[in-house]
Amino acid sequence: MRTIIAVMIAGMATGLFLSGSVIAADAAAQPSQANSFNRLLKPQPKKNPPPTEDGIHDVENPGTEVLMPPQTAFESMEKSKHGNYVDWVASLNKGMINPRWDRLDPTQTPIVMDLNIVREVKGSMPDVVYPHAQHTAWLDCSNCHPDIFIPAKGANQINMAAILLGEKCGVCHGKVAFPIKTSTCRICHSKPKENFKLERSQASQQ
Amino acid sequence: MKILSSVIALMFILFSSPSMAVDPAAKRVEMKLNYAETVIMKSKSAERVRQSDNEEAKGMLKEAEANYEKARQALEDEEFAEAENLANEALKTVTIAAQKVPNKEEKLKADRARYEELYQQVLSYKSWNTENPELVKDANLDMDAIMAEVDTAHKESQDDNYDAANKRLETLLNDIVSKTNKAIGDKTIAYTLNFETPEEEFEYELKRNDEYARLLVVAIEQKDPSAGIRMLMGKFEEKALGFRGEADKMAEDEEFADAVTKLQESTEEYLKALKIAGVR
């Protein structure tokens, strides 16, 4: 039931917004392979294009015209410089959005898990800090575990290629959450390595 | 005669076009109303509400129908904002009404899926807690009691009593999560890259190498680099494959430490190819 949140987030990416209402299930369009493209590699020519121009929705479908354009939906939200130009975490923290936690029970509230995972990475790049708190504020455990991340030590080998291919963190990041760009590296790679010194080359020492 | 018909045609274009042009707001509202008509008048969910004995849902459907009719009237009166608001309201109301009368088959399917989801989550937490005893020792979870609840939920699910099974698992999961949360509050888990054996590291690098090779194909497809860049990428790829071949051979001979170095060299070549294609 809580997976409704994931569906809603997918809707944010694809512009599946209806002005003040939700599509009744049996009248909903089922876009196929809506997220098979990869925005990480292919920037969109227009910032948050309307559903009729986003290349995802069926322009022949009259329902497409009914969808609220993302630019209108995102207008009042906290801005970011990346992806769909919305700072979702800030918008959530400021109460600009209030994701429904349970489809049937409006009184249900999320159980936020405050556990940071630090992942060591090779080379000089700072290690990655994954904060559960920001994610569990609106995602159910089942959105990520165990299908995307197996909750066991050493079971999840993550690398940038996999993320750029839309796997692991890339299931959301680059589609609905901030994308992987040179300007966003430090959001995740935020823990400088202890005792790491950049060695000067022989040439620079001369 | 020809001149006269041309003049008439020209006048038709000049004078009739503006009035024939459709106001975008009107078009949008019209589309929304057509959609609302489909949902309210013709959809299976609305029909389900009509056939049900849920008076509250039926009342809401009637309200949606009334708002739809008012919206149509507002559109005719060119009060587009009012029409759109009413259409939105109608759609919202019919959606809530439909939720109050769920499709039994769909509900069963959704409940089953939710059961599987909860079941897997409880088991995930159980194995995670077992693997991190130090981290969660303050949670004091009674694993036997947890498994007894899981068994009861399983029996309920076998009788298709998913309402009870899911409620039980949700309560159980909330209890596990909140106790675990309290125990691990503001703690950090660090996953290092200290591999126990060179073979383990080889497996890690092998996966990484495979994924960069896959990414290269996607990058070419999506970045569509020029022929010159592609040629250069091809050279890097060729080198990468060469190193990979050497690494595989070394791994066959169980020289994993050297194989790791070769694999890293191979991945470096893929990274160079990706960089020149614009993937950074």
Side-chain angles (χ1 to χ4, degrees):
Chain A
M1 289 178 195
R2 288 176 192 164
T3 46
I4 189 81
I5 296 165
V7 175
M8 197 196 81
I9 292 171
M12 291 170 186
T14 54
L16 271 171
F17 276 95
L18 263 177
S19 311
S21 81
V22 179
I23 303 173
D26 55 2
Q30 294 291 318
S32 61
Q33 299 295 309
N35 283 327
S36 64
F37 73 100
N38 187 346
R39 268 188 213 168
L40 305 174
L41 296 169
K42 199 174 186 180
Q44 294 209 310
K46 192 173 175 182
K47 188 175 165 179
N48 290 332
T52 47
E53 295 171 32
D54 63 9
I56 301 170
H57 293 90
D58 179 6
V59 286
E60 302 291 323
N61 188 328
T64 302
E65 283 276 355
V66 181
L67 302 173
M68 182 189 279
Q71 281 200 10
T72 313
F74 299 163
E75 209 171 10
S76 60
M77 295 194 199
E78 282 292 301
K79 304 281 181 285
S80 91
K81 292 175 181 169
H82 324 284
N84 46 28
Y85 304 96
V86 176
D87 185 334
W88 293 104
V89 173
S91 299
L92 180 71
N93 290 343
K94 290 191 175 180
M96 292 163 170
I97 47 173
N98 186 18
R100 198 188 306 170
W101 189 246
D102 190 292
R103 186 166 60 94
L104 300 176
D105 185 356
T107 61
Q108 279 271 7
T109 52
I111 301 170
V112 178
M113 184 190 224
D114 189 11
L115 173 70
N116 286 343
I117 305 274
V118 175
R119 299 191 78 95
E120 188 188 355
V121 298
K122 289 194 173 182
S124 61
M125 199 69 178
D127 292 336
V128 170
V129 179
Y130 169 82
H132 268 95
Q134 279 82 339
H135 293 83
T136 51
W138 57 359
L139 291 172
D140 191 32
C141 307
S142 66
N143 290 136
C144 305
H145 303 300
D147 286 352
I148 305 172
F149 301 106
I150 302 160
K153 193 178 176 183
N156 306 289
Q157 299 292 11
I158 305 170
N159 59 63
M160 292 311 297
I163 297 170
L164 287 162
L165 284 163
E167 296 162 10
K168 302 290 179 189
C169 316
V171 170
C172 294
H173 285 280
K175 293 189 184 111
V176 291
F178 67 80
I180 286 76
K181 296 170 77 177
T182 44
S183 55
T184 57
C185 298
R186 300 294 160 141
I187 302 177
C188 302
H189 289 267
S190 58
K191 186 176 184 290
K193 289 183 188 303
E194 285 166 23
N195 305 322
F196 183 83
K197 283 181 188 160
L198 193 65
E199 286 182 22
R200 296 174 70 191
S201 70
Q202 292 288 324
S204 68
Q205 288 173 28
Q206 283 168 3
Chain B
M1 189 65 182
K2 256 186 181 177
I3 294 168
L4 182 66
S5 57
S6 300
V7 169
I8 291 168
L10 184 65
M11 283 175 71
F12 180 78
I13 291 164
L14 283 175
F15 294 106
S16 63
S17 292
S19 61
M20 284 170 76
V22 182
D23 186 322
K27 192 187 164 207
R28 197 180 64 242
V29 177
E30 174 72 37
M31 298 287 279
K32 188 165 279 190
L33 277 171
N34 290 345
Y35 177 74
E37 185 183 353
T38 308
V39 176
I40 298 165
M41 310 295 185
K42 302 169 191 167
S43 73
K44 283 181 192 167
S45 51
E47 194 48 39
R48 200 169 60 240
V49 173
R50 273 185 206 99
Q51 299 299 326
S52 78
D53 50 9
N54 186 326
E55 293 306 322
E56 188 193 1
K58 281 169 145 174
M60 290 179 92
L61 183 62
K62 282 209 170 97
E63 195 187 314
E65 285 167 356
N67 276 332
Y68 163 76
E69 294 300 343
K70 281 184 202 164
R72 275 276 173 221
Q73 188 55 54
L75 178 65
E76 263 181 41
D77 299 342
E78 297 191 356
E79 290 166 3
F80 302 131
E82 173 69 3
E84 190 162 16
N85 283 341
L86 285 163
N88 286 340
E89 202 48 49
L91 278 164
K92 205 161 133 183
T93 316
V94 72
T95 305
I96 298 168
Q99 281 171 351
K100 287 186 184 294
V101 187
N103 177 321
K104 278 180 191 159
E105 272 174 36
E106 276 176 23
K107 186 181 178 298
L108 190 63
K109 207 172 148 191
D111 285 349
R112 252 182 216 145
R114 180 60 180 155
Y115 172 78
E116 283 301 322
E117 208 173 71
L118 288 163
Y119 181 74
Q120 289 301 331
Q121 276 188 71
V122 172
L123 293 191
S124 288
Y125 257 101
K126 185 182 169 270
S127 63
W128 189 78
N129 276 272
T130 312
E131 281 187 26
N132 297 278
E134 277 307 302
L135 194 71
V136 294
K137 65 177 179 198
D138 296 337
N140 294 319
L141 293 171
D142 182 346
M143 289 301 172
D144 292 336
I146 289 172
M147 288 322 289
E149 281 292 273
V150 169
D151 286 343
T152 310
H154 182 64
K155 279 176 196 143
E156 285 165 341
S157 78
Q158 283 178 325
D159 297 336
D160 276 354
N161 188 1
Y162 287 102
D163 283 340
N166 290 353
K167 193 78 204 157
R168 185 179 303 281
L169 288 184
E170 270 183 6
T171 309
L172 184 63
L173 189 64
N174 283 350
D175 187 46
I176 297 171
V177 176
S178 54
K179 281 183 177 161
T180 308
N181 264 356
K182 272 186 197 156
I184 59 170
D186 69 24
K187 280 186 188 160
T188 296
I189 297 180
Y191 291 150
T192 63
L193 283 178
N194 298 330
F195 298 98
E196 281 178 16
T197 61
E199 192 175 355
E200 254 185 34
E201 188 168 7
F202 175 78
E203 290 301 326
Y204 168 81
E205 290 293 347
L206 193 68
K207 197 157 184 285
R208 191 164 160 255
N209 188 265
D210 282 342
E211 277 165 359
Y212 275 99
R214 277 170 58 212
L215 183 61
L216 195 67
V217 179
V218 178
I220 291 169
E221 182 194 306
Q222 298 207 348
K223 289 284 186 185
D224 194 20
S226 66
I229 296 286
R230 265 190 206 212
M231 198 184 73
L232 210 53
M233 287 173 79
K235 291 200 170 169
F236 286 128
E237 189 185 13
E238 214 173 287
K239 269 180 99 174
L241 290 170
F243 287 138
R244 170 66 187 263
E246 286 179 52
D248 288 342
K249 178 81 187 58
M250 288 167 176
E252 267 175 37
D253 298 339
E254 297 192 355
E255 297 162 7
F256 291 110
D258 292 338
V260 165
T261 311
K262 264 311 151 204
L263 270 180
Q264 287 171 341
E265 284 174 10
S266 171
T267 305
E268 270 306 308
E269 296 304 316
Y270 283 129
L271 280 165
K272 286 178 195 167
L274 287 163
K275 254 182 200 168
I276 59 167
V279 181
R280 286 157 204 277

